[in-house]
Amino acid sequence: MSSAGKSPWLLHYNASSCNGCDIEILAALTPLYDVERFGIINTGNPAHADIFVVTGSVNEQNKEVLKNLYDQIPEPKVVLAVGICASSGGVFRDCYNVSGGVDTIIPVDVYVPGCSVRPEALIEGVVKALGVLEEKRAAVDNGGLR
Amino acid sequence: MNLVMAAAGAVLFLILAPVIGGLISGVDRVLTARMQSRRGPPVLQPFYDISKLWHKERAFANPVEMILTSGYLVLIALSGAILFSGGDLLLVVFALALSHTFLILAAYAANAPYSTVGAERELIGVMVAEPILILLAAGFFMVTGSFFVSDILADTTSAIVYLPGVFLALFAVLTLKLRKSPFDIATSHHAHQELVKGVTSSLSGRTLAKVELAHWYETIIILAMMLLFFAANPILGIIVVIICYFLEILMDNLFPRVTWKMTVKSLWTITLILGATNIAVLGILGGVIV
């Protein structure tokens, strides 16, 4: 594993989530789960991030913000849709203002379903995302994504 | 021979400081995690972080950041090289101050709100830390009659005997210099929001890696300055520095929310009472003691 997989920094964005998945993400940062074991840091800054963690069903109000944040993350980057709303829109899928899942706005690499997501599932999702990050990093190093 | 020794000191510093600084940073993170009953990252985590940042895509808010962060890194390395080659302590202090000016300019260059706030707070940080560094140079001159580190090291009595106040004031400023506390000053190493780490908020990839590397250099420089107080007894000095660093991590975990206003007040008070008084007493006792 290269350093890309050993040092994943997260950016967490709440795209109109009910906060259920968000507190599970924060639970993963607590001593009980301690994701810093894997070198994961929650940065809150797109310029520093490698993994973009999105919760909630994206709607008309925040899809621009989501797109902006995604564009501001330097390559290689991985998008993680956390929770069923982010994965497909969930129960809000047919609402008039809901886009229906993160993948309607930006490309998603890993889906983590659940309502709300459990920290174990989330950590597994991040570890899966690390594999994707490694592949993308190799591509960047070979000049593929620059 | 002296020239060879000086060059060797400088080269050793330039090569070893990032290694030791990175390890200190890793141990720091593990200890912090243990204090919070977590497992914590591997000790080599800071090196993984730097390597990862180096391979990221180059994205700038303003391309001039590349030059400015390089200036920051080079000047800090120069400051340390002067210190470890036995050079002039005043030059070390001024090079350190100038290097931070480059970091502040890099933050202003992004022309983003959080960067600007971060730059202003970094300025406050320099403003708070600089007086004690000047007092430290002045104190060493009063004790040894020379600004040169080589002369200070050759002294038979450790400067701590005459400068306990300056040492304690430097220890207080260490919290700020190691980017531990206050939480909301320019670039605390806990990135939780935009204001914290504001100075680096627009930097990414290689520019951020350079700032991180410069921070390791600076850690070694400040710890070496503490060691200077124990010139005659380096073993005791190393033990004291390790204890000081441990206390620093402890303070970092005990006072996670010290604000910048509290910092300015408390550190200036400490500098004035401990540092300036110490120098004044030395002056009354007879100035330069040789």
Side-chain angles (χ1 to χ4, degrees):
Chain A
M1 189 187 267
S2 71
S3 60
K6 284 180 175 168
S7 160
W9 292 0
L10 302 184
L11 171 66
H12 165 214
Y13 178 60
N14 174 340
S16 69
S17 155
C18 71
N19 218 11
C21 292
D22 306 289
I23 54 174
E24 297 296 348
I25 288 170
L26 294 175
L29 298 168
T30 58
L32 181 61
Y33 299 97
D34 186 28
V35 291
E36 213 202 350
R37 282 178 298 151
F38 310 113
I40 297 172
I41 296 178
N42 189 4
T43 60
N45 181 345
H48 300 182
D50 305 293
I51 299 183
F52 191 20
V53 176
V54 189
T55 53
S57 50
V58 186
N59 63 29
E60 296 299 314
Q61 291 281 336
N62 59 34
K63 67 181 191 190
E64 285 303 316
V65 180
L66 183 71
K67 185 81 181 69
N68 259 340
L69 286 172
Y70 176 77
D71 290 338
Q72 283 171 9
I73 302 175
E75 294 285 355
K77 59 191 167 195
V78 174
V79 178
L80 200 64
V82 170
I84 196 63
C85 297
S87 302
S88 69
V91 292
F92 307 103
R93 188 185 177 87
D94 298 326
C95 295
Y96 67 92
N97 60 331
V98 166
S99 306
V102 177
D103 54 7
T104 55
I105 313 293
I106 55 174
V108 172
D109 297 286
V110 179
Y111 296 88
V112 186
C115 179
S116 64
V117 137
R118 292 186 65 83
E120 295 91 334
L122 177 71
I123 292 171
E124 192 192 356
V126 171
V127 171
K128 276 206 164 51
L130 295 186
V132 182
L133 194 63
E134 289 283 341
E135 289 166 27
K136 290 194 174 186
R137 152 92 175 258
V140 167
D141 285 350
N142 297 331
L145 285 168
R146 277 197 203 276
Chain B
M1 189 61 210
N2 267 346
L3 202 65
V4 175
M5 285 289 284
V11 170
L12 275 179
F13 166 79
L14 291 177
I15 295 167
L16 287 181
V19 177
I20 299 169
L23 281 176
I24 289 175
S25 167
V27 170
D28 180 334
R29 273 174 74 172
V30 172
L31 274 176
T32 297
R34 293 294 153 93
M35 282 180 190
Q36 297 167 358
S37 69
R38 293 188 288 116
R39 275 205 49 138
V43 175
L44 295 179
Q45 187 61 44
F47 296 103
Y48 301 148
D49 290 348
I50 288 254
S51 162
K52 186 268 315 252
L53 287 171
W54 204 257
H55 284 271
K56 290 284 273 185
E57 177 196 13
R58 298 182 196 197
F60 307 110
N62 184 344
V64 81
E65 284 167 6
M66 266 193 301
I67 302 163
L68 292 171
T69 47
S70 296
Y72 175 53
L73 176 59
V74 167
L75 273 165
I76 280 210
L78 176 76
S79 165
I82 295 169
L83 179 70
F84 277 77
S85 63
D88 197 329
L89 205 53
L90 278 177
L91 263 182
V92 174
V93 172
F94 294 144
L96 209 55
L98 185 61
S99 69
H100 284 280
T101 313
F102 272 84
L103 177 64
I104 290 159
L105 285 174
Y108 272 127
N111 204 8
Y114 290 122
S115 268
T116 306
V117 172
E120 278 157 8
R121 291 189 172 179
E122 182 70 19
L123 266 175
I124 291 166
V126 172
M127 196 174 77
V128 169
E130 214 51 33
I132 187 61
L133 292 178
I134 303 278
L135 282 181
L136 172 134
F140 274 120
F141 180 80
M142 288 173 89
V143 171
T144 60
S146 163
F147 281 118
F148 280 84
V149 174
S150 50
D151 298 341
I152 294 166
L153 285 175
D155 211 22
T156 45
T157 43
S158 292
I160 186 80
V161 180
Y162 302 110
L163 301 168
V166 174
F167 181 80
L168 287 174
L170 181 67
F171 172 62
V173 171
L174 189 67
T175 324
L176 182 76
K177 275 293 181 197
L178 294 177
R179 310 263 192 226
K180 293 240 167 265
S181 213
F183 183 72
D184 64 353
I185 210 115
T187 151
S188 153
H189 62 179
H190 319 275
H192 296 296
Q193 46 160 321
E194 294 83 355
L195 277 185
V196 178
K197 263 187 154 16
V199 108
T200 61
S201 69
S202 65
L203 306 176
S204 68
R206 284 188 188 192
T207 47
L208 186 62
K210 277 184 272 190
V211 171
E212 198 58 33
L213 197 59
H215 175 55
W216 295 353
Y217 270 127
E218 194 182 12
T219 304
I220 300 291
I221 291 169
I222 301 290
L223 295 181
M225 279 181 180
M226 294 181 91
L227 259 178
L228 271 187
F229 284 88
F230 301 90
N233 195 345
I235 306 292
L236 176 71
I238 288 169
I239 292 168
V240 169
V241 165
I242 289 172
I243 291 171
C244 283
Y245 200 96
F246 181 79
L247 286 175
E248 216 48 71
I249 299 173
L250 193 65
M251 279 199 282
D252 182 32
N253 284 300
L254 287 177
F255 307 108
R257 293 292 183 275
V258 178
T259 62
W260 67 265
K261 282 180 186 160
M262 284 161 75
T263 309
V264 175
K265 277 182 200 156
S266 60
L267 286 183
W268 268 358
T269 311
I270 289 169
T271 301
L272 200 68
I273 291 176
L274 290 175
T277 312
N278 192 163
I279 301 281
V281 168
L282 266 188
I284 292 163
L285 286 179
V288 180
I289 307 159
V290 186

